[in-house]
Amino acid sequence: MPNKGEVELKALVQSSSLPIKKSCLVRLKEDIKKFKIVYMMALPVILYYLVFHYAPMYGAVIAFKNFNLADGIWGSEWVGLQNFMEFFNSRYFTRLLFNTLNISLNTLVWGFPAPIILALLLNELKGKVFSKTVQTITYLPHFISLVVICGMIQDFTSEKGIIVQLLSVFGFRPQNMLNNKNLFVPIYVISNIWQEVGWSSIVYLAALAGIEPELYEAAKIDGAGKLRQTLSITLPGLIPTIMVMLILRVGSLLNVGYEKIILLYNELTYETADIISSFTYRRGLQEFAWSYSAAVGLFNAVINFILLILANTISKKMNHTSLW
């Protein structure tokens, strides 16, 4: 027979309002049953990523093979790390890595603050019509085809282009700027800022809209001017958003898109313009070295993944803001 203490403990456990710990699978089933419509709406997105992003990942195995189209992925000869070692020992490795980091870091240093500054300036505008006009003008380049953008850049920076003609007034020697290896990176970075500054500012404008107006009213009562309000209220309110966006940018530091590069560069500017993704494009699609280009692409993806983890960890420890 159980004693009185055991009976009271059993009754206490049965009457306790604490939830019983359930397995992840049980909780998922209950969540799906409760939010069935939400999961149905998310299903197409989940399927998209499974079919077009996760399923093709098995093809990365050709980086460890001497891929032959006739033999297929699994029938091709296994060569291990040979393709990786060939890339690391290549005379192009140092140049490609330096150029990729150079372009990416310059884009990050000069391009990352630009939408933040634009959002702060737009937030201070009182006239709604003027503010909307400026927003529309800055958004437009993002929606123009990259081919058209690059065509405009080539025309503007040609020997008789408008930019060259304006610079010639200040003593610049007329020349095709895209044929000058020293000017390629500045042209790339400046045109990238012009193309994306308006679109990238949207997320910061949304974050600014979420800051409580009462904070500004209290600061005004305390005698704080615009600069003090910006430093004490606006920027601290933007810090979480800025850190998340910075983590994402650092995580794709080596992931410079090849499309714009291959549309602008030429053999005269390979020394400063050729990057990992453009090199992969040439070797894979023009020279049909599929295994070699897959190895280069996999190396690039792994480095980006490591950078993302490091950036997230550092941000989490320093600012308590992270992606996960």
Side-chain angles (χ1 to χ4, degrees):
M1 291 292 292
N3 58 37
K4 185 178 179 182
E6 290 177 345
V7 173
E8 290 177 352
L9 180 61
K10 187 176 180 180
L12 180 63
V13 170
Q14 291 176 349
S15 62
S16 175
S17 59
L18 293 174
I20 301 173
K21 192 173 182 180
K22 302 176 183 178
S23 66
C24 293
L25 188 60
V26 172
R27 280 183 288 156
L28 180 61
K29 286 181 178 179
E30 291 179 354
D31 201 50
I32 292 174
K33 187 183 249 184
K34 186 177 180 181
F35 302 104
K36 190 182 297 182
I37 302 298
V38 177
Y39 278 94
M40 287 178 65
M41 292 173 63
L43 188 60
V45 179
I46 295 171
L47 289 175
Y48 166 79
Y49 278 96
L50 289 175
V51 173
F52 295 103
H53 289 267
Y54 285 94
M57 285 177 69
Y58 83 96
V61 73
I62 69 172
F64 304 94
K65 290 175 171 280
N66 183 17
F67 178 69
N68 185 292
L69 193 60
D71 296 331
I73 293 177
W74 302 112
S76 299
E77 178 189 3
W78 182 272
V79 295
L81 298 176
Q82 178 181 322
N83 293 313
F84 293 92
M85 297 309 299
E86 184 181 347
F87 175 59
F88 296 150
N89 296 325
S90 166
R91 62 190 181 93
Y92 298 111
F93 175 71
T94 305
R95 187 182 77 179
L96 292 172
L97 188 60
F98 175 80
N99 289 347
T100 304
L101 286 172
N102 185 34
I103 292 175
S104 189
L105 287 173
N106 273 287
T107 304
L108 180 65
V109 170
W110 301 107
F112 186 76
I116 302 173
I117 296 170
L118 178 62
L120 291 172
L121 294 174
L122 289 173
N123 190 56
E124 295 298 325
L125 291 177
K126 300 300 181 183
K128 289 187 178 180
V129 176
F130 181 69
S131 176
K132 296 295 182 183
T133 303
V134 172
Q135 285 180 271
T136 303
I137 292 172
T138 54
Y139 293 168
L140 282 177
H142 174 81
F143 298 99
I144 301 176
S145 167
L146 185 60
V147 176
V148 176
I149 289 287
C150 292
M152 293 169 62
I153 295 171
Q154 289 172 345
D155 287 339
F156 294 161
T157 58
S158 65
E159 190 171 347
K160 295 183 179 179
I162 185 172
I163 294 178
V164 174
Q165 295 302 313
L166 288 173
L167 291 176
S168 65
V169 177
F170 301 96
F172 181 79
R173 182 174 60 85
Q175 60 175 295
N176 189 330
M177 297 175 72
L178 286 175
N179 288 340
N180 188 330
K181 64 180 183 180
N182 296 320
L183 295 177
F184 184 88
V185 175
I187 291 172
Y188 180 92
V189 173
I190 293 170
S191 62
N192 196 68
I193 293 172
W194 167 68
Q195 188 180 359
E196 298 296 335
V197 65
W199 181 256
S200 300
S201 67
I202 294 175
V203 65
Y204 300 109
L205 287 170
L208 287 170
I211 299 176
E212 294 292 338
E214 290 81 4
L215 295 174
Y216 292 104
E217 293 175 6
K220 287 179 183 178
I221 294 172
D222 291 338
K226 284 292 183 183
L227 181 60
R228 175 52 58 188
Q229 291 176 37
T230 301
L231 295 176
S232 301
I233 300 174
T234 308
L235 287 179
L238 280 178
I239 287 297
T241 304
I242 291 173
M243 292 309 302
V244 169
M245 299 303 294
L246 183 60
I247 291 168
L248 293 173
R249 287 291 295 272
V250 171
S252 58
L253 199 61
L254 293 182
N255 194 27
V256 182
Y258 68 90
E259 298 92 344
K260 189 174 180 180
I261 295 291
I262 64 174
L263 288 170
L264 293 179
Y265 78 168
N266 55 60
E267 293 181 359
L268 296 174
T269 56
Y270 275 177
E271 187 177 341
T272 58
D274 198 18
I275 58 173
I276 292 175
S277 58
S278 62
F279 178 76
T280 304
Y281 165 80
R282 289 203 312 276
R283 289 300 302 268
L285 295 181
Q286 294 182 346
E287 301 177 19
F288 305 107
W290 293 303
S291 293
Y292 184 83
S293 60
V296 177
L298 186 58
F299 161 77
N300 196 26
V302 169
I303 297 300
N304 280 330
F305 179 72
I306 293 172
L307 288 173
L308 178 63
I309 298 295
L310 288 175
N312 188 75
T313 304
I314 293 171
S315 177
K316 192 173 184 179
K317 288 183 177 180
M318 294 182 64
N319 299 293
H320 306 288
T321 303
S322 60
L323 295 175
W324 63 85

